[in-house]
Amino acid sequence: MDTIILLETSTELCSAAIARDGEIISYRESGTLRAHASLTAVFVQEMLDETGIRLGDCSAVCVSMGPGSYTGLRVGVSTAKGLCFGAGLPLVAVGTLDTLVWQAISEGNVPEGCRHIVPMIDARRMEVYTSVFSADGRQEEDVRPAVLEPGSFRSLSGSGPVLFIGDGAGKASEVIDLPDAVFIQCCPKASAMLIPAMAEYKSERFKDVAYFEPFYLKEFVVTASRKDPLRRHV
């Protein structure tokens, strides 16, 4: 039986799941701010206890590789590496935008006639990390940072409904003027990693546990604060 631990910590929502033979059998999530470091490993232990599964009996650990919050991604990857090192498990990784696309598909939120799904991760101000996928989950464009403007994604107009999903979709709805646009404001969930995670595992596209790093997309910027000149903003 293939048993995979799934960790999603790229945004404000911290979530974890255990999948066995293609089904989610245990799930945890929390939207508590800045609690990823204290909750991720706890969620895993709770789920193992709940299901009676030993860590060593798992087949792999899958972690969200980004893009997303610098701190959140570091927490998820560090936790995943610790689990893999401790139990000798292989590591696989799934892109945050892929997770959002499969979240829309698995939850039945793709509009009828939709040809494009545009996942979006908030990158502060009017910028997002994004890409374009087909309605059946195939990636059509490279992941990129984009500044949201009234003309953004106009090339997708006329092809039917376009679904924008993610924690950047809300602010996108304020400026994007496509007539058939549908916006779903949400964070990616570990449970939605199931299909891409299984594809990575079955294809044995394992990551090097020692050297794997998250996909940050942009440089981590340190900005000064009046209260604390060394404070980091993520």
Side-chain angles (χ1 to χ4, degrees):
M1 292 186 292
D2 293 328
T3 304
I4 301 180
I5 297 172
L6 309 168
L7 304 177
E8 218 312 317
T9 61
S10 65
T11 64
E12 291 183 355
L13 183 69
C14 175
S15 62
I18 292 180
R20 170 163 281 184
D21 291 341
E23 294 185 3
I24 300 296
I25 60 173
S26 187
Y27 179 74
R28 296 288 191 281
E29 73 171 45
S30 173
T32 303
L33 297 178
R34 301 178 183 86
H36 294 47
S38 62
L39 290 177
T40 307
V42 172
F43 282 170
V44 173
Q45 188 59 60
E46 288 179 353
M47 293 188 301
L48 292 173
D49 292 342
E50 177 181 88
T51 58
I53 297 171
R54 297 183 302 175
L55 179 59
D57 293 333
C58 294
S59 307
V61 178
C62 179
V63 67
S64 176
M65 67 179 181
S69 158
Y70 179 91
T71 301
L73 291 173
R74 295 299 296 180
V75 168
V77 170
S78 297
T79 303
K81 286 185 175 186
L83 295 170
C84 290
F85 273 124
L89 302 177
L91 174 67
V92 294
V94 169
T96 311
L97 300 180
D98 298 79
T99 299
L100 284 168
V101 170
W102 285 102
Q103 192 163 307
I105 294 172
S106 62
E107 294 182 355
N109 289 325
V110 180
E112 184 176 354
C114 177
R115 293 183 58 186
H116 299 290
I117 302 175
V118 183
M120 292 181 161
I121 294 296
D122 190 358
R124 294 190 178 276
R125 299 184 178 87
M126 290 308 292
E127 195 170 15
V128 295
Y129 303 129
T130 188
S131 181
V132 176
F133 289 71
S134 64
D136 60 359
R138 291 178 292 107
Q139 187 169 349
E140 298 179 339
E141 295 184 5
D142 291 337
V143 179
R144 62 186 175 90
V147 176
L148 297 174
E149 301 171 326
S152 296
F153 302 97
R154 189 165 289 166
S155 62
L156 303 181
S157 180
S159 62
V162 178
L163 174 62
F164 295 88
I165 183 171
D167 67 348
K171 66 183 183 183
S173 68
E174 300 173 2
V175 294
I176 292 178
D177 55 3
L178 296 184
D180 294 326
V182 177
F183 299 91
I184 298 178
Q185 174 74 11
C186 67
C187 292
K189 302 176 183 177
S191 54
M193 298 170 70
L194 176 59
I195 291 177
M198 289 301 299
E200 293 296 303
Y201 175 72
K202 293 292 187 182
S203 300
E204 297 186 356
R205 290 190 284 265
F206 302 138
K207 304 299 183 182
D208 187 310
V209 177
Y211 296 104
F212 175 72
E213 291 290 332
F215 175 45
Y216 298 119
L217 190 58
K218 295 200 305 181
E219 292 291 331
F220 178 48
V221 178
V222 180
T223 58
S225 167
R226 293 181 179 179
K227 294 182 179 180
D228 181 357
L230 297 180
R231 182 179 176 184
R232 293 183 173 185
H233 295 264
V234 297

